[in-house]
Every structure is written in structure tokens, then in C-alpha cells.
Amino acid sequence: MTLDHLSAWENCLQTIRKSINAQSFKTWFEPIKPIKLEDSSLTIQVPNNFFYEWLEENYVGLLKKTIRQELGPTGQLEYQIFVENHTRTGHNGGPTERRFYSPEHIANPFVIPGIKKIKVDPQLNAKYRFENFIEGDCNKLARSAGKAIAKNPGGTAFNPLVIYGDVGLGKTHLAHAIGNEVVEKFKQKNTIYVSTERFTNQIIESIKKNSVSDLVNFYQSIDVLIVDDIQFLSGKTKTQEIFFNIFNQLHQLGKQIILTSDRPPKSLEGIQDRLISRFKWGLSADLQTPDLETRMAIVGSKLDDEKVTLPQHIIEFISYNVKDNVRELEGVLVSLIAQSSLNNKTIDINLVKSVVENFVTGISKEITIENIKQLVSDHLKVSVEKIQGKTRKREVVMARQLSMYLAKHHTNSSLKAIGDNFGGRDHSTVIYSCKTVEDLIDTDPLVKDALHELEKKVKMSLSGMKS
Ligand code: ADP
Ligand code: MG
């Protein structure tokens, strides 16, 4: 029995579906069309170049494995990239469906001739740029999609792009960054940034002045429309209705729409279903809280902007402790810089602690010996009882010695107090343990790594202790 391209790809999809989450599957695999299967080489069509790059970067291993499993060891995958009206490598007939609309082909009865030429002020904030939007796993998809759109507004599958995430994670920054790049690259295109609040007020005004259709015409002549915080459309029926008309027209003309929201489209409340379903047409990409490395990079970048240098351990302290929200992270830095210049204080760890405390609750409690034992126990999988007990087994002794070392370096406890906390050992045992760990750091890379990890956790747990 020979396999055709449709069933071969369907089989692949079944495997892939099991290996990744539903959202990724929907975003990256559902839009793919199988085209042909020849000599165990399967050709698939992807909507654009960005798609291809994303698949290659993120799913190459999975695809390879799946294709081999389905088509045997010589199995290969080839891509066709979809472009309007024809495919770049395709000879197999063009795609049946036109996904992208080009404005030249559609007469626009609403737009007054010439109005498109009038340049409007995009209302963009020039300081929000891609260059200062630090990339991390937390924002990779949204950032890449934004970049792709900035290169080719209206010409990607990401229309609309919905950037969603909690407050202070960079939605507004990213939306402006896309707008700024479009304005630079495409001088003739009209780009507009508007907050939902402002948009709503414009509508209220236009209703009063009986000029709603002017407003609609204006927005329908825009090439790249950015609307920030669409969750605020909630409950505003008239605004939603008007936005619906604008959205439809722009989308049909192949104009780019970029929206931000504090939650994914499906969770929006008080918004008409027909709008929500349109929000889901393109790509919804979330911003998550940045991980430690990304936070450190953000702090570094903001300090560069301010031309301030801080010692590494202070940067680490701030990044460890302010973790929920980038805006807060910036707040700490601004306040720190202000305090140090106003009061002429040097930025030392005490000043930093007091500033951070104003932003984050439950910070900078001293870590206790008990906390340390628990951390070591979790990390090395040795029970706390054993750590403070009498066992001389190698791994237990190691855990005990590391705990004592950490207690000496990260608490204010005396050697005697530390000894007491480890089953009543005396202070010379503590000194000996610390010395042993110091020797092992130089000679045993495993110990060195374990200690490094543990010290990270100790520092991080400082901010986790809410009491
Ligand atoms: P949101 O709109 O999601 O509430 P903002 O875009 O206003 O968040 O971001 C809050 C602050 O954090 C801004 O000053 C922004 O520049 C900064 N910020 C957020 N994410 C990043 C990032 N990845 N790199 C640099 N700065 C960031
Ligand atoms: Mg915002």
C-alpha cells in the first residue's frame, strides 16, 4: 500500500499533537498544508517565511523524528513558502485559497481618494523600540511575531496580532516597537497607536458631534492600527460595534491590526462573540514574567540608558527580588538613582534593600539555618533528619557540610549556633566542614556546581519568604 501525502501528514500530525501543547499545535501545525509525497520526501506548505524559520528553529528535532518514523530512515521534509497567488517553489498548482489580500485589487468605496496619502501622526512613543526590548523565553514568540510584522505589515498570517499578558510585562512597549519600526521602514504607510480608552473617547465625541462616519473613515484609511488594552472594550457596545466595522474593513484590505490585552481573547468578558472570534483569526502571543537572566539583562539595559553603573551583586539582588513585573523593576532603579543623587548616598546593599522593600513585600528577611537545611535537602534529596543526624554516609556528610558552609556564609549565626543546629556539633566541626567545602570547590566540579545552584536558591528564597 502506498501512502499519499494527505494521510502521511495526518499520521505525522497525530504524533506531533501528542508531543506539544494544544496552543502551539494550533498555531504552528494546523495552518500547514501537505502538498506532495515523492520518494519518501514530503512537501508541506507553510504560510510564510517566518513560519518556516520558526518551525526550523523550534521543532526541527520533533519534525525529523516524526518524518523518519512515518516515512522510514530516508524520510525528508521539504517546505514550500506560500506567497500571494503562487508558491515560491510550487509547480503543483497554486493554493486554492488566497489568504492575503492586496489593497490594489480591492476597490475601497469608503476611502476618499487621496486620503491615504495624507500622513497622520502615529502617536508613537519613540523610546519604545525593539533594540531596548530585551528578548527572553518569556517574550520570544510575541517579539518574533512583532518583528515579522514590522518587516511585512499585513503580509503575515499574524493578523490581527494579539499580544496579551499581565500588567507591566511589556505589551505597550512591544506594540510601540512594532509601530516605530514600521514607520521607519515604510514611510508611505499610515500607522496609528491608540489606547482603547482614547479610542472610546473619540467615539463618544464623534457621536456628540454627529461625525461617527468621519471617524470610521479615518480609521479605515490606516495601514497599521495598534489598539492597546482592548479588555477595556468590555461592556461598551457602541464602541464595539464601530470597532467591528473598522476591523473588518482593515482586515479585508490586508491592513495590519495589532491589539494588546491583559488576557487571551477567549477569556475576554463583556465583548461580543463576533469580535472575539475575529481576535482569534491571527496569532495570540503571550508575554510571561521574565526569568532571572532576562531580568538581569533588563536591569543592565536600563542602567546603560541612565548611564549608571552598579556592582554585579547589587544587580543580582534587585533581579532576584523584583520578579513579577518589569515596571516594578524599573521603579526600583528609578527610585534608587533618585535617592542616591538627591541624598547624595552611595548605592550600597542597604540602600538597595530599603528601596526594594518599598516595592516588594516580604523581602530581605534573613534566611534561617532551617531554610538552608530544607533547600539542601530538596536539592540533594537527603532528608533534613539525616542532615542533622549522625550518619557518616558520604552523600549525607556532603549535604551536612554544604549546609553548614551556606549557614556560615548566608546567615549571621555564630559558629556555635550553627553547630547546635546540626545535632549539637561543636564549632570546630563547623570550621572543619567549611574548610572541606572550600577545598572541594577547587577540586570537585560536582561540588562546585551544586554549591553554585544552592547559592542561587538561597538568594532567590530571600524574596520568596513572605511571612
Ligand atoms: P504593559 O503594557 O504590559 O503593562 P509596558 O509595556 O508598559 O507593560 O512595560 C512596562 C515597563 O517595562 C516599560 O517601561 C517597558 O519598557 C519595560 N519592559 C517590559 N518588558 C521589557 C523588556 N523585555 N525589555 C525591556 N524593557 C521592558
Ligand atoms: Mg500597557
Side-chain angles (χ1 to χ4, degrees):
M1 189 197 79
T2 54
L3 207 57
D4 67 31
H5 60 282
L6 294 174
S7 38
W9 181 241
E10 188 47 47
N11 293 345
C12 292
L13 285 182
Q14 288 191 6
T15 310
I16 293 168
R17 190 182 276 119
K18 282 185 222 136
S19 316
I20 62 177
N21 70 43
Q23 181 59 36
S24 308
F25 184 81
K26 185 163 173 292
T27 308
W28 301 110
F29 290 92
E30 278 184 5
I32 295 175
K33 276 195 208 150
I35 301 292
K36 62 177 177 184
L37 177 62
E38 269 171 19
D39 306 329
S40 64
S41 171
L42 177 68
T43 305
I44 57 172
Q45 186 190 82
V46 296
N48 53 43
N49 202 45
F50 174 78
F51 225 91
Y52 159 73
E53 285 168 8
W54 187 272
L55 287 171
E56 279 289 287
E57 203 182 312
N58 295 282
Y59 298 111
V60 69
L62 176 62
L63 281 167
K64 207 179 258 171
K65 193 185 88 194
T66 313
I67 288 289
R68 299 257 155 96
Q69 181 183 317
E70 183 58 25
L71 303 175
T74 56
Q76 286 223 356
L77 191 64
E78 282 182 34
Y79 295 90
Q80 268 187 5
I81 293 164
F82 183 94
V83 283
E84 196 181 352
N85 291 339
H86 62 281
T87 29
R88 214 170 279 167
T89 57
H91 56 90
N92 223 17
T96 46
E97 169 199 13
R98 273 186 56 191
R99 304 224 6 202
F100 308 133
Y101 305 89
S102 131
E104 290 80 45
H105 301 303
I106 298 170
N108 177 357
F110 295 98
V111 173
I112 303 153
I115 197 168
K116 274 203 269 190
K117 308 277 171 335
I118 301 167
K119 202 67 186 131
V120 292
D121 182 318
Q123 312 287 324
L124 289 164
N125 184 338
K127 80 172 196 202
Y128 291 141
R129 315 190 50 81
F130 275 111
E131 293 81 64
N132 59 12
F133 189 74
I134 304 296
E135 183 175 352
D137 283 344
C138 55
N139 59 33
K140 197 167 166 224
L141 174 58
R143 191 180 190 282
S144 314
K147 269 270 177 199
I149 286 171
K151 280 201 196 107
N152 188 11
T156 69
F158 316 135
N159 205 12
L161 172 67
V162 180
I163 304 165
Y164 68 90
D166 284 340
V167 62
L169 295 182
K171 302 182 291 295
T172 299
H173 185 141
L174 185 55
H176 280 277
I178 300 170
N180 280 316
E181 193 152 318
V182 170
V183 167
E184 273 156 38
K185 286 212 171 94
F186 301 91
K187 303 246 179 310
Q188 77 290 4
K189 284 199 193 293
N190 276 323
T191 300
I192 278 279
Y193 166 90
V194 67
S195 66
T196 298
E197 199 189 352
R198 183 149 185 215
F199 179 72
T200 306
N201 288 335
Q202 288 172 345
I203 287 174
I204 295 169
E205 273 302 295
S206 75
I207 292 172
K208 270 198 233 151
K209 291 198 203 134
N210 206 7
S211 61
V212 175
S213 66
D214 288 348
L215 188 74
V216 171
N217 280 343
F218 169 77
Y219 275 107
Q220 287 181 338
S221 74
I222 295 300
D223 298 293
V224 178
L225 175 63
I226 305 169
V227 186
D228 206 355
D229 289 320
I230 52 162
Q231 72 275 10
F232 294 134
L233 286 174
S234 173
K236 297 178 180 129
T237 326
K238 187 70 191 163
T239 307
Q240 288 180 31
E241 199 177 292
I242 292 169
F243 185 59
F244 181 75
N245 291 329
I246 295 170
F247 184 104
N248 284 344
Q249 174 76 356
L250 290 182
H251 197 273
Q252 229 188 41
L253 291 174
K255 301 305 172 63
Q256 181 68 49
I257 301 160
I258 298 156
L259 309 171
T260 79
S261 164
D262 69 352
R263 65 201 79 177
K266 68 169 167 33
S267 312
L268 284 165
E269 283 158 17
I271 296 186
Q272 299 161 9
D273 287 345
R274 57 181 193 166
L275 260 181
I276 291 184
S277 84
R278 274 161 180 75
F279 295 161
K280 294 195 266 190
W281 275 353
L283 176 71
S284 301
D286 65 335
L287 296 178
Q288 292 172 352
T289 47
D291 57 25
L292 177 65
E293 282 73 18
T294 311
R295 295 201 296 278
M296 287 179 43
I298 292 173
V299 171
S301 145
K302 306 280 171 197
L303 290 173
D304 283 351
D305 286 351
E306 303 292 329
K307 308 209 179 357
V308 173
T309 47
L310 287 180
Q312 188 62 19
H313 74 277
I314 289 192
I315 295 181
E316 280 177 17
F317 182 86
I318 298 169
S319 313
Y320 279 130
N321 288 297
V322 189
K323 42 170 119 179
D324 291 337
N325 171 325
V326 183
R327 188 171 295 150
E328 264 173 24
L329 205 54
E330 282 183 350
V332 167
L333 294 176
V334 169
S335 151
L336 207 54
I337 292 165
Q339 294 232 23
S340 88
S341 56
L342 291 178
N343 307 336
N344 220 352
K345 285 191 199 162
T346 45
I347 301 185
D348 61 9
I349 194 73
N350 290 325
L351 178 61
V352 173
K353 273 190 182 166
S354 75
V355 169
V356 169
E357 253 168 38
N358 288 333
F359 283 83
V360 184
T361 47
I363 169 68
S364 77
K365 300 268 182 312
E366 288 302 327
I367 191 157
T368 65
I369 299 177
E370 291 313 313
N371 299 142
I372 288 177
K373 281 190 239 174
Q374 193 57 53
L375 281 177
V376 173
S377 162
D378 292 344
H379 191 76
L380 296 179
K381 312 268 176 293
V382 174
S383 72
V384 172
E385 289 72 53
K386 282 191 178 148
I387 289 178
Q388 56 200 15
K390 300 260 178 277
T391 321
R392 300 293 312 158
K393 269 168 94 178
R394 203 179 127 69
E395 67 271 18
V396 178
V397 173
M398 191 69 258
R400 188 178 298 137
Q401 291 178 333
L402 280 170
S403 304
M404 290 190 195
Y405 175 93
L406 290 167
K408 172 162 180 274
H409 289 270
H410 296 277
T411 70
N412 292 326
S413 312
S414 65
L415 293 172
K416 177 170 184 316
I418 296 173
D420 288 347
N421 268 281
F422 286 84
R425 291 173 159 86
D426 67 22
H427 80 281
S428 63
T429 310
V430 181
I431 294 175
Y432 175 77
S433 297
C434 293
K435 178 82 179 62
T436 309
V437 171
E438 276 154 23
D439 290 345
L440 286 171
I441 293 171
D442 294 331
T443 54
D444 186 341
L446 285 178
V447 173
K448 188 173 166 194
D449 287 350
L451 187 66
H452 182 74
E453 282 303 306
L454 282 164
E455 298 210 290
K456 244 194 203 168
K457 288 188 180 174
V458 167
K459 288 187 194 168
M460 284 197 267
S461 75
L462 276 176
S463 59
M465 291 187 318
K466 313 233 157 137
S467 61

